[in-house]
Amino acid sequence: MQKNNGLRVRRPNADDFFATLLCRYGSIWQSNWQNWRHRMAVDQASLAELVSFLETFPEPHILCDRDYRILAANAAYRANWVDQIEVVGRKCFEVSHRYTVPCDQAGESCPLQRSLQSGRRERVLHLHYTSRGESFENIELSPIRDASGAIVYYVEKLEPLPGASSLGDVQGLIGRSPAFVKMMELVARVAPSDASVLLQGESGTGKELVANAIHQLSRRAKHPFVAVDCSGLPETLFESALFGHERGAFTGATTRTTGLVEAASGGTLFLDELGDIPLSIQVKLLRLLETGTYRRVGSPELRKAEVRVVSATHRPLTDMVSEGLFRQDLFYRLNIFPIHLPPLRQRGDDVLLLAETLLDRVSGGRLRSRLSAEAAAWLRGYHYPGNVRELRNILERACLLCDGDEIHLQHLPVELAAARSLPTSSDGPPPATRDFPDSHSLSFEEVVRDFKGSRKALASHLGLSERTLYRRLKTVDGQ
């Protein structure tokens, strides 16, 4: 209390202050509270409608918030997680990846974070744990905004990518490294289209497997997939093999023959070792790509071809174009969607994943061998100039040399151990060497000089075609 002109005046306290505010603004607060409750009721109703809408989709869908929490999952999604008690209320990265942190903090691309930055729909390829085991899933994430335009929810659609499991049949594509997943994301994007694809990578990286995956993921999957080894066709027979010929077109042509282009009708024509196509045939292949037409050898009739072309090479086509060895216009027609296949040495632990799977195939019906710790460490660190093809050869030889059920260092190829200072279990990876495709490298000449076996066996060991090996041997001899 204080005196003011002889009167006792009570000092206002906090209760008086809030009482005054409540008296003055209480009606406004009550109105805002009612509006907020109405808005929340509308949001809950809209959310319920959205959840009901997701149930109509045959593909797995989830609804999540900005904090990765799953708010709803349709029946198709829940069917993938039969081994889990409940997915609603959990974080999406916990359910799909078994991570404790979001994808972008675990070394992967997070579509939610990408969408927050771009404000648009985002697509990625992820490796998920499902009731079927590990599986590559095509993720399409779409933002949902409130009345003010702010992103409040996300709808995520998942579609399994057939033929692209991280574990499974050795004939399929196997891997989980970032380089492999990045490649598969490009495969998933281009496969549904009819665009020409150019696969570029070293020998033995699995270009035909990737081409076949593109075919299997396309609308042409029920039609033929025809592979053409361009390095194995002599120039005199190339046109006939590709386009077919009429009876009597040349000496020995006693019957009409269907070409590989016609055999691939409606499907995919895979041109392997594209750089070995003769210049005289390149112009006719260009006509096929530009007009969809061709002629059989010895026939004036113009025929229509409905094929998709996927090609592959380990050769530097841009250099060949500059040197006049490959047509520039054909290169542009084939290089609409280039995909680089990573070499095995850039795929980290995919080496051991492939090794475990390949051992099932190369064991020859015997008891399946396993890798010792020191053998696994060496395989993990080796350079692999021949890539997956060389890994398979190494394992096949090791299985033949191994009498027990465990592969050790002594079962690995002697010439590789001598040439590359085979490490022990305490050693680090062997030093990087230059790739064998460089015919001027000392390692290439040494391996050719020291290799005991046929030219065919040498080509297989180096991960090259016999024709390519012959050309490079001529280059070395001409130095």
mmCIF file of all heavy atoms in Angstrom, residues 141-188:
data_model
loop_
_atom_site.group_PDB
_atom_site.id
_atom_site.type_symbol
_atom_site.label_atom_id
_atom_site.label_comp_id
_atom_site.label_asym_id
_atom_site.label_seq_id
_atom_site.Cartn_x
_atom_site.Cartn_y
_atom_site.Cartn_z
ATOM 1 N N LEU A 141 7.666 -39.118 -53.620
ATOM 2 C CA LEU A 141 7.164 -38.387 -52.465
ATOM 3 C C LEU A 141 6.573 -37.055 -52.907
ATOM 4 O O LEU A 141 7.225 -36.278 -53.586
ATOM 5 C CB LEU A 141 8.292 -38.178 -51.456
ATOM 6 C CG LEU A 141 7.911 -37.516 -50.149
ATOM 7 C CD1 LEU A 141 8.493 -38.283 -48.972
ATOM 8 C CD2 LEU A 141 8.420 -36.081 -50.113
ATOM 9 N N SER A 142 5.320 -36.811 -52.516
ATOM 10 C CA SER A 142 4.601 -35.601 -52.929
ATOM 11 C C SER A 142 4.234 -34.774 -51.710
ATOM 12 O O SER A 142 3.663 -35.308 -50.744
ATOM 13 C CB SER A 142 3.334 -35.964 -53.702
ATOM 14 O OG SER A 142 3.638 -36.752 -54.834
ATOM 15 N N PRO A 143 4.541 -33.461 -51.698
ATOM 16 C CA PRO A 143 4.192 -32.609 -50.556
ATOM 17 C C PRO A 143 2.718 -32.220 -50.568
ATOM 18 O O PRO A 143 2.105 -32.068 -51.619
ATOM 19 C CB PRO A 143 5.082 -31.385 -50.761
ATOM 20 C CG PRO A 143 5.301 -31.320 -52.245
ATOM 21 C CD PRO A 143 5.302 -32.734 -52.738
ATOM 22 N N ILE A 144 2.150 -32.066 -49.384
ATOM 23 C CA ILE A 144 0.769 -31.587 -49.206
ATOM 24 C C ILE A 144 0.831 -30.296 -48.399
ATOM 25 O O ILE A 144 1.443 -30.258 -47.325
ATOM 26 C CB ILE A 144 -0.111 -32.625 -48.489
ATOM 27 C CG1 ILE A 144 -0.196 -33.901 -49.331
ATOM 28 C CG2 ILE A 144 -1.500 -32.074 -48.215
ATOM 29 C CD1 ILE A 144 -0.977 -34.999 -48.679
ATOM 30 N N ARG A 145 0.195 -29.248 -48.890
ATOM 31 C CA ARG A 145 0.265 -27.923 -48.266
ATOM 32 C C ARG A 145 -1.046 -27.565 -47.585
ATOM 33 O O ARG A 145 -2.121 -28.049 -47.978
ATOM 34 C CB ARG A 145 0.612 -26.863 -49.312
ATOM 35 C CG ARG A 145 1.915 -27.139 -50.051
ATOM 36 C CD ARG A 145 2.169 -26.116 -51.139
ATOM 37 N NE ARG A 145 3.385 -26.425 -51.899
ATOM 38 C CZ ARG A 145 4.602 -26.030 -51.551
ATOM 39 N NH1 ARG A 145 4.752 -25.297 -50.455
ATOM 40 N NH2 ARG A 145 5.646 -26.364 -52.275
ATOM 41 N N ASP A 146 -0.957 -26.679 -46.591
ATOM 42 C CA ASP A 146 -2.167 -26.174 -45.944
ATOM 43 C C ASP A 146 -2.655 -24.935 -46.683
ATOM 44 O O ASP A 146 -2.129 -24.568 -47.745
ATOM 45 C CB ASP A 146 -1.913 -25.884 -44.463
ATOM 46 C CG ASP A 146 -0.838 -24.816 -44.240
ATOM 47 O OD1 ASP A 146 -0.474 -24.126 -45.227
ATOM 48 O OD2 ASP A 146 -0.371 -24.669 -43.108
ATOM 49 N N ALA A 147 -3.674 -24.275 -46.122
ATOM 50 C CA ALA A 147 -4.281 -23.120 -46.800
ATOM 51 C C ALA A 147 -3.294 -21.982 -46.982
ATOM 52 O O ALA A 147 -3.421 -21.181 -47.918
ATOM 53 C CB ALA A 147 -5.502 -22.635 -46.012
ATOM 54 N N SER A 148 -2.284 -21.894 -46.104
ATOM 55 C CA SER A 148 -1.298 -20.815 -46.218
ATOM 56 C C SER A 148 -0.179 -21.136 -47.190
ATOM 57 O O SER A 148 0.673 -20.296 -47.463
ATOM 58 C CB SER A 148 -0.701 -20.518 -44.836
ATOM 59 O OG SER A 148 0.069 -21.626 -44.386
ATOM 60 N N GLY A 149 -0.158 -22.363 -47.711
ATOM 61 C CA GLY A 149 0.871 -22.762 -48.656
ATOM 62 C C GLY A 149 2.057 -23.474 -48.030
ATOM 63 O O GLY A 149 2.995 -23.862 -48.740
ATOM 64 N N ALA A 150 2.032 -23.663 -46.720
ATOM 65 C CA ALA A 150 3.137 -24.344 -46.042
ATOM 66 C C ALA A 150 2.988 -25.856 -46.176
ATOM 67 O O ALA A 150 1.877 -26.397 -46.118
ATOM 68 C CB ALA A 150 3.173 -23.946 -44.569
ATOM 69 N N ILE A 151 4.112 -26.553 -46.348
ATOM 70 C CA ILE A 151 4.094 -28.014 -46.426
ATOM 71 C C ILE A 151 3.854 -28.583 -45.032
ATOM 72 O O ILE A 151 4.583 -28.277 -44.080
ATOM 73 C CB ILE A 151 5.421 -28.549 -46.992
ATOM 74 C CG1 ILE A 151 5.626 -28.063 -48.433
ATOM 75 C CG2 ILE A 151 5.462 -30.071 -46.942
ATOM 76 C CD1 ILE A 151 6.971 -28.447 -49.026
ATOM 77 N N VAL A 152 2.826 -29.404 -44.889
ATOM 78 C CA VAL A 152 2.489 -29.985 -43.589
ATOM 79 C C VAL A 152 2.587 -31.506 -43.597
ATOM 80 O O VAL A 152 2.901 -32.119 -42.574
ATOM 81 C CB VAL A 152 1.073 -29.559 -43.143
ATOM 82 C CG1 VAL A 152 1.061 -28.085 -42.762
ATOM 83 C CG2 VAL A 152 0.041 -29.823 -44.240
ATOM 84 N N TYR A 153 2.284 -32.140 -44.734
ATOM 85 C CA TYR A 153 2.326 -33.596 -44.822
ATOM 86 C C TYR A 153 3.035 -34.012 -46.108
ATOM 87 O O TYR A 153 3.250 -33.205 -47.022
ATOM 88 C CB TYR A 153 0.919 -34.213 -44.818
ATOM 89 C CG TYR A 153 0.070 -33.858 -43.636
ATOM 90 C CD1 TYR A 153 -1.168 -33.225 -43.810
ATOM 91 C CD2 TYR A 153 0.477 -34.163 -42.337
ATOM 92 C CE1 TYR A 153 -1.963 -32.898 -42.730
ATOM 93 C CE2 TYR A 153 -0.317 -33.843 -41.255
ATOM 94 C CZ TYR A 153 -1.535 -33.200 -41.452
ATOM 95 O OH TYR A 153 -2.309 -32.889 -40.383
ATOM 96 N N TYR A 154 3.352 -35.313 -46.159
ATOM 97 C CA TYR A 154 3.889 -35.913 -47.379
ATOM 98 C C TYR A 154 3.186 -37.239 -47.631
ATOM 99 O O TYR A 154 2.936 -38.002 -46.702
ATOM 100 C CB TYR A 154 5.397 -36.177 -47.250
ATOM 101 C CG TYR A 154 6.238 -34.938 -47.335
ATOM 102 C CD1 TYR A 154 6.691 -34.300 -46.191
ATOM 103 C CD2 TYR A 154 6.582 -34.394 -48.575
ATOM 104 C CE1 TYR A 154 7.471 -33.164 -46.269
ATOM 105 C CE2 TYR A 154 7.351 -33.259 -48.663
ATOM 106 C CZ TYR A 154 7.795 -32.642 -47.509
ATOM 107 O OH TYR A 154 8.557 -31.512 -47.597
ATOM 108 N N VAL A 155 2.885 -37.472 -48.908
ATOM 109 C CA VAL A 155 2.396 -38.786 -49.320
ATOM 110 C C VAL A 155 3.535 -39.480 -50.061
ATOM 111 O O VAL A 155 4.098 -38.922 -51.005
ATOM 112 C CB VAL A 155 1.152 -38.674 -50.226
ATOM 113 C CG1 VAL A 155 0.819 -40.036 -50.832
ATOM 114 C CG2 VAL A 155 -0.034 -38.154 -49.447
ATOM 115 N N GLU A 156 3.876 -40.674 -49.605
ATOM 116 C CA GLU A 156 4.981 -41.420 -50.197
ATOM 117 C C GLU A 156 4.459 -42.693 -50.845
ATOM 118 O O GLU A 156 3.781 -43.489 -50.211
ATOM 119 C CB GLU A 156 6.018 -41.770 -49.123
ATOM 120 C CG GLU A 156 7.261 -42.460 -49.658
ATOM 121 C CD GLU A 156 8.308 -42.672 -48.589
ATOM 122 O OE1 GLU A 156 9.027 -41.691 -48.285
ATOM 123 O OE2 GLU A 156 8.380 -43.780 -48.044
ATOM 124 N N LYS A 157 4.781 -42.852 -52.116
ATOM 125 C CA LYS A 157 4.388 -44.037 -52.881
ATOM 126 C C LYS A 157 5.619 -44.910 -53.097
ATOM 127 O O LYS A 157 6.690 -44.418 -53.435
ATOM 128 C CB LYS A 157 3.792 -43.617 -54.225
ATOM 129 C CG LYS A 157 3.503 -44.761 -55.182
ATOM 130 C CD LYS A 157 3.071 -44.207 -56.531
ATOM 131 C CE LYS A 157 2.909 -45.298 -57.566
ATOM 132 N NZ LYS A 157 2.578 -44.750 -58.904
ATOM 133 N N LEU A 158 5.452 -46.214 -52.910
ATOM 134 C CA LEU A 158 6.560 -47.153 -53.070
ATOM 135 C C LEU A 158 6.211 -48.179 -54.132
ATOM 136 O O LEU A 158 5.116 -48.748 -54.123
ATOM 137 C CB LEU A 158 6.867 -47.873 -51.754
ATOM 138 C CG LEU A 158 7.352 -47.032 -50.582
ATOM 139 C CD1 LEU A 158 6.183 -46.461 -49.802
ATOM 140 C CD2 LEU A 158 8.216 -47.884 -49.662
ATOM 141 N N GLU A 159 7.145 -48.402 -55.036
ATOM 142 C CA GLU A 159 6.982 -49.437 -56.056
ATOM 143 C C GLU A 159 8.258 -50.276 -56.108
ATOM 144 O O GLU A 159 9.343 -49.730 -56.313
ATOM 145 C CB GLU A 159 6.717 -48.819 -57.426
ATOM 146 C CG GLU A 159 5.323 -48.259 -57.593
ATOM 147 C CD GLU A 159 5.077 -47.769 -59.014
ATOM 148 O OE1 GLU A 159 5.881 -46.972 -59.503
ATOM 149 O OE2 GLU A 159 4.088 -48.187 -59.613
ATOM 150 N N PRO A 160 8.145 -51.580 -55.918
ATOM 151 C CA PRO A 160 9.355 -52.417 -55.998
ATOM 152 C C PRO A 160 9.922 -52.418 -57.404
ATOM 153 O O PRO A 160 9.191 -52.337 -58.388
ATOM 154 C CB PRO A 160 8.856 -53.804 -55.594
ATOM 155 C CG PRO A 160 7.388 -53.785 -55.863
ATOM 156 C CD PRO A 160 6.947 -52.365 -55.640
ATOM 157 N N LEU A 161 11.227 -52.463 -57.478
ATOM 158 C CA LEU A 161 11.923 -52.499 -58.761
ATOM 159 C C LEU A 161 12.257 -53.947 -59.076
ATOM 160 O O LEU A 161 13.175 -54.512 -58.485
ATOM 161 C CB LEU A 161 13.205 -51.663 -58.679
ATOM 162 C CG LEU A 161 13.873 -51.265 -59.981
ATOM 163 C CD1 LEU A 161 12.968 -50.398 -60.818
ATOM 164 C CD2 LEU A 161 15.171 -50.529 -59.686
ATOM 165 N N PRO A 162 11.509 -54.594 -59.974
ATOM 166 C CA PRO A 162 11.751 -56.014 -60.233
ATOM 167 C C PRO A 162 13.120 -56.248 -60.833
ATOM 168 O O PRO A 162 13.622 -55.455 -61.611
ATOM 169 C CB PRO A 162 10.636 -56.381 -61.224
ATOM 170 C CG PRO A 162 10.244 -55.089 -61.865
ATOM 171 C CD PRO A 162 10.444 -54.042 -60.813
ATOM 172 N N GLY A 163 13.723 -57.374 -60.434
ATOM 173 C CA GLY A 163 15.017 -57.748 -61.008
ATOM 174 C C GLY A 163 16.184 -56.974 -60.468
ATOM 175 O O GLY A 163 17.283 -57.053 -60.991
ATOM 176 N N ALA A 164 15.995 -56.211 -59.394
ATOM 177 C CA ALA A 164 17.093 -55.398 -58.875
ATOM 178 C C ALA A 164 17.184 -55.528 -57.367
ATOM 179 O O ALA A 164 17.118 -54.568 -56.639
ATOM 180 C CB ALA A 164 16.901 -53.935 -59.266
ATOM 181 N N SER A 165 17.307 -56.729 -56.878
ATOM 182 C CA SER A 165 17.449 -56.968 -55.451
ATOM 183 C C SER A 165 18.905 -56.875 -55.054
ATOM 184 O O SER A 165 19.805 -57.076 -55.851
ATOM 185 C CB SER A 165 16.901 -58.356 -55.103
ATOM 186 O OG SER A 165 17.184 -58.689 -53.771
ATOM 187 N N SER A 166 19.158 -56.562 -53.785
ATOM 188 C CA SER A 166 20.541 -56.547 -53.317
ATOM 189 C C SER A 166 21.033 -57.953 -53.056
ATOM 190 O O SER A 166 22.221 -58.210 -53.029
ATOM 191 C CB SER A 166 20.648 -55.732 -52.034
ATOM 192 O OG SER A 166 19.996 -56.397 -50.976
ATOM 193 N N LEU A 167 20.124 -58.859 -52.814
ATOM 194 C CA LEU A 167 20.465 -60.252 -52.577
ATOM 195 C C LEU A 167 19.604 -61.095 -53.495
ATOM 196 O O LEU A 167 18.465 -60.772 -53.763
ATOM 197 C CB LEU A 167 20.179 -60.646 -51.115
ATOM 198 C CG LEU A 167 20.912 -59.843 -50.046
ATOM 199 C CD1 LEU A 167 20.361 -60.198 -48.675
ATOM 200 C CD2 LEU A 167 22.399 -60.148 -50.082
ATOM 201 N N GLY A 168 20.134 -62.191 -53.979
ATOM 202 C CA GLY A 168 19.298 -63.040 -54.813
ATOM 203 C C GLY A 168 20.092 -63.756 -55.872
ATOM 204 O O GLY A 168 21.272 -64.027 -55.733
ATOM 205 N N ASP A 169 19.426 -64.044 -56.979
ATOM 206 C CA ASP A 169 20.016 -64.823 -58.053
ATOM 207 C C ASP A 169 21.237 -64.116 -58.620
ATOM 208 O O ASP A 169 21.238 -62.920 -58.869
ATOM 209 C CB ASP A 169 18.970 -65.007 -59.159
ATOM 210 C CG ASP A 169 19.418 -65.995 -60.216
ATOM 211 O OD1 ASP A 169 20.588 -66.402 -60.185
ATOM 212 O OD2 ASP A 169 18.591 -66.355 -61.065
ATOM 213 N N VAL A 170 22.304 -64.890 -58.840
ATOM 214 C CA VAL A 170 23.531 -64.300 -59.355
ATOM 215 C C VAL A 170 23.329 -63.729 -60.755
ATOM 216 O O VAL A 170 24.092 -62.869 -61.198
ATOM 217 C CB VAL A 170 24.658 -65.355 -59.355
ATOM 218 C CG1 VAL A 170 24.435 -66.405 -60.411
ATOM 219 C CG2 VAL A 170 26.016 -64.691 -59.542
ATOM 220 N N GLN A 171 22.308 -64.194 -61.476
ATOM 221 C CA GLN A 171 22.045 -63.653 -62.801
ATOM 222 C C GLN A 171 21.479 -62.238 -62.729
ATOM 223 O O GLN A 171 21.469 -61.517 -63.705
ATOM 224 C CB GLN A 171 21.047 -64.560 -63.543
ATOM 225 C CG GLN A 171 21.582 -65.959 -63.833
ATOM 226 C CD GLN A 171 22.759 -65.944 -64.784
ATOM 227 O OE1 GLN A 171 22.908 -65.018 -65.557
ATOM 228 N NE2 GLN A 171 23.590 -66.969 -64.708
ATOM 229 N N GLY A 172 20.972 -61.856 -61.553
ATOM 230 C CA GLY A 172 20.400 -60.519 -61.409
ATOM 231 C C GLY A 172 21.450 -59.506 -61.002
ATOM 232 O O GLY A 172 22.632 -59.813 -60.832
ATOM 233 N N LEU A 173 21.017 -58.288 -60.821
ATOM 234 C CA LEU A 173 21.914 -57.217 -60.408
ATOM 235 C C LEU A 173 22.013 -57.224 -58.898
ATOM 236 O O LEU A 173 21.000 -57.192 -58.200
ATOM 237 C CB LEU A 173 21.378 -55.875 -60.909
ATOM 238 C CG LEU A 173 21.463 -55.694 -62.423
ATOM 239 C CD1 LEU A 173 20.584 -54.544 -62.868
ATOM 240 C CD2 LEU A 173 22.895 -55.448 -62.845
ATOM 241 N N ILE A 174 23.227 -57.247 -58.389
ATOM 242 C CA ILE A 174 23.452 -57.380 -56.959
ATOM 243 C C ILE A 174 24.326 -56.239 -56.475
ATOM 244 O O ILE A 174 25.396 -55.985 -57.030
ATOM 245 C CB ILE A 174 24.128 -58.728 -56.632
ATOM 246 C CG1 ILE A 174 23.230 -59.881 -57.084
ATOM 247 C CG2 ILE A 174 24.436 -58.846 -55.152
ATOM 248 C CD1 ILE A 174 23.902 -61.234 -57.020
ATOM 249 N N GLY A 175 23.898 -55.544 -55.451
ATOM 250 C CA GLY A 175 24.694 -54.462 -54.893
ATOM 251 C C GLY A 175 23.878 -53.586 -53.979
ATOM 252 O O GLY A 175 22.648 -53.567 -54.039
ATOM 253 N N ARG A 176 24.586 -52.850 -53.142
ATOM 254 C CA ARG A 176 23.923 -51.908 -52.242
ATOM 255 C C ARG A 176 24.781 -50.674 -51.992
ATOM 256 O O ARG A 176 24.421 -49.815 -51.184
ATOM 257 C CB ARG A 176 23.584 -52.592 -50.918
ATOM 258 C CG ARG A 176 24.776 -53.130 -50.170
ATOM 259 C CD ARG A 176 24.348 -53.950 -48.964
ATOM 260 N NE ARG A 176 23.424 -53.235 -48.128
ATOM 261 C CZ ARG A 176 22.687 -53.797 -47.165
ATOM 262 N NH1 ARG A 176 22.767 -55.094 -46.974
ATOM 263 N NH2 ARG A 176 21.884 -53.076 -46.431
ATOM 264 N N SER A 177 25.929 -50.586 -52.652
ATOM 265 C CA SER A 177 26.817 -49.440 -52.465
ATOM 266 C C SER A 177 26.184 -48.195 -53.078
ATOM 267 O O SER A 177 25.327 -48.281 -53.965
ATOM 268 C CB SER A 177 28.169 -49.708 -53.137
ATOM 269 O OG SER A 177 28.006 -49.832 -54.546
ATOM 270 N N PRO A 178 26.581 -46.998 -52.618
ATOM 271 C CA PRO A 178 26.027 -45.760 -53.191
ATOM 272 C C PRO A 178 26.219 -45.665 -54.702
ATOM 273 O O PRO A 178 25.324 -45.197 -55.414
ATOM 274 C CB PRO A 178 26.801 -44.659 -52.455
ATOM 275 C CG PRO A 178 27.178 -45.287 -51.147
ATOM 276 C CD PRO A 178 27.447 -46.725 -51.456
ATOM 277 N N ALA A 179 27.378 -46.102 -55.209
ATOM 278 C CA ALA A 179 27.623 -46.033 -56.654
ATOM 279 C C ALA A 179 26.656 -46.929 -57.409
ATOM 280 O O ALA A 179 26.146 -46.564 -58.475
ATOM 281 C CB ALA A 179 29.067 -46.432 -56.963
ATOM 282 N N PHE A 180 26.389 -48.115 -56.879
ATOM 283 C CA PHE A 180 25.468 -49.049 -57.522
ATOM 284 C C PHE A 180 24.038 -48.521 -57.468
ATOM 285 O O PHE A 180 23.302 -48.574 -58.456
ATOM 286 C CB PHE A 180 25.561 -50.412 -56.827
ATOM 287 C CG PHE A 180 24.644 -51.450 -57.412
ATOM 288 C CD1 PHE A 180 25.011 -52.161 -58.543
ATOM 289 C CD2 PHE A 180 23.421 -51.725 -56.832
ATOM 290 C CE1 PHE A 180 24.156 -53.119 -59.088
ATOM 291 C CE2 PHE A 180 22.567 -52.673 -57.354
ATOM 292 C CZ PHE A 180 22.941 -53.373 -58.492
ATOM 293 N N VAL A 181 23.629 -47.998 -56.322
ATOM 294 C CA VAL A 181 22.258 -47.471 -56.174
ATOM 295 C C VAL A 181 22.042 -46.277 -57.098
ATOM 296 O O VAL A 181 20.973 -46.131 -57.705
ATOM 297 C CB VAL A 181 21.983 -47.086 -54.709
ATOM 298 C CG1 VAL A 181 20.642 -46.380 -54.574
ATOM 299 C CG2 VAL A 181 22.010 -48.328 -53.820
ATOM 300 N N LYS A 182 23.057 -45.425 -57.237
ATOM 301 C CA LYS A 182 22.947 -44.280 -58.147
ATOM 302 C C LYS A 182 22.738 -44.746 -59.575
ATOM 303 O O LYS A 182 21.909 -44.187 -60.317
ATOM 304 C CB LYS A 182 24.205 -43.417 -58.042
ATOM 305 C CG LYS A 182 24.181 -42.176 -58.912
ATOM 306 C CD LYS A 182 25.447 -41.354 -58.737
ATOM 307 C CE LYS A 182 25.439 -40.115 -59.631
ATOM 308 N NZ LYS A 182 26.691 -39.326 -59.474
ATOM 309 N N MET A 183 23.468 -45.784 -59.982
ATOM 310 C CA MET A 183 23.294 -46.339 -61.327
ATOM 311 C C MET A 183 21.889 -46.898 -61.500
ATOM 312 O O MET A 183 21.223 -46.673 -62.513
ATOM 313 C CB MET A 183 24.331 -47.429 -61.576
ATOM 314 C CG MET A 183 24.203 -48.121 -62.935
ATOM 315 S SD MET A 183 25.050 -49.712 -62.981
ATOM 316 C CE MET A 183 23.959 -50.719 -61.962
ATOM 317 N N MET A 184 21.395 -47.632 -60.495
ATOM 318 C CA MET A 184 20.078 -48.245 -60.587
ATOM 319 C C MET A 184 18.968 -47.198 -60.607
ATOM 320 O O MET A 184 17.912 -47.412 -61.204
ATOM 321 C CB MET A 184 19.870 -49.212 -59.427
ATOM 322 C CG MET A 184 20.674 -50.507 -59.531
ATOM 323 S SD MET A 184 20.408 -51.385 -61.100
ATOM 324 C CE MET A 184 18.630 -51.555 -61.115
ATOM 325 N N GLU A 185 19.188 -46.070 -59.968
ATOM 326 C CA GLU A 185 18.196 -44.993 -60.010
ATOM 327 C C GLU A 185 18.041 -44.471 -61.438
ATOM 328 O O GLU A 185 16.920 -44.194 -61.893
ATOM 329 C CB GLU A 185 18.606 -43.860 -59.069
ATOM 330 C CG GLU A 185 17.548 -42.770 -58.943
ATOM 331 C CD GLU A 185 17.847 -41.782 -57.826
ATOM 332 O OE1 GLU A 185 18.791 -42.016 -57.047
ATOM 333 O OE2 GLU A 185 17.126 -40.774 -57.735
ATOM 334 N N LEU A 186 19.155 -44.367 -62.166
ATOM 335 C CA LEU A 186 19.087 -43.955 -63.564
ATOM 336 C C LEU A 186 18.383 -45.017 -64.413
ATOM 337 O O LEU A 186 17.598 -44.697 -65.310
ATOM 338 C CB LEU A 186 20.492 -43.685 -64.107
ATOM 339 C CG LEU A 186 21.236 -42.502 -63.495
ATOM 340 C CD1 LEU A 186 22.662 -42.429 -64.043
ATOM 341 C CD2 LEU A 186 20.498 -41.194 -63.776
ATOM 342 N N VAL A 187 18.673 -46.288 -64.115
ATOM 343 C CA VAL A 187 18.008 -47.387 -64.830
ATOM 344 C C VAL A 187 16.505 -47.313 -64.632
ATOM 345 O O VAL A 187 15.720 -47.445 -65.584
ATOM 346 C CB VAL A 187 18.557 -48.746 -64.345
ATOM 347 C CG1 VAL A 187 17.692 -49.894 -64.852
ATOM 348 C CG2 VAL A 187 19.999 -48.927 -64.815
ATOM 349 N N ALA A 188 16.076 -47.094 -63.394
ATOM 350 C CA ALA A 188 14.648 -47.031 -63.098
ATOM 351 C C ALA A 188 13.972 -45.858 -63.792
ATOM 352 O O ALA A 188 12.808 -45.938 -64.188
ATOM 353 C CB ALA A 188 14.444 -46.941 -61.587
#
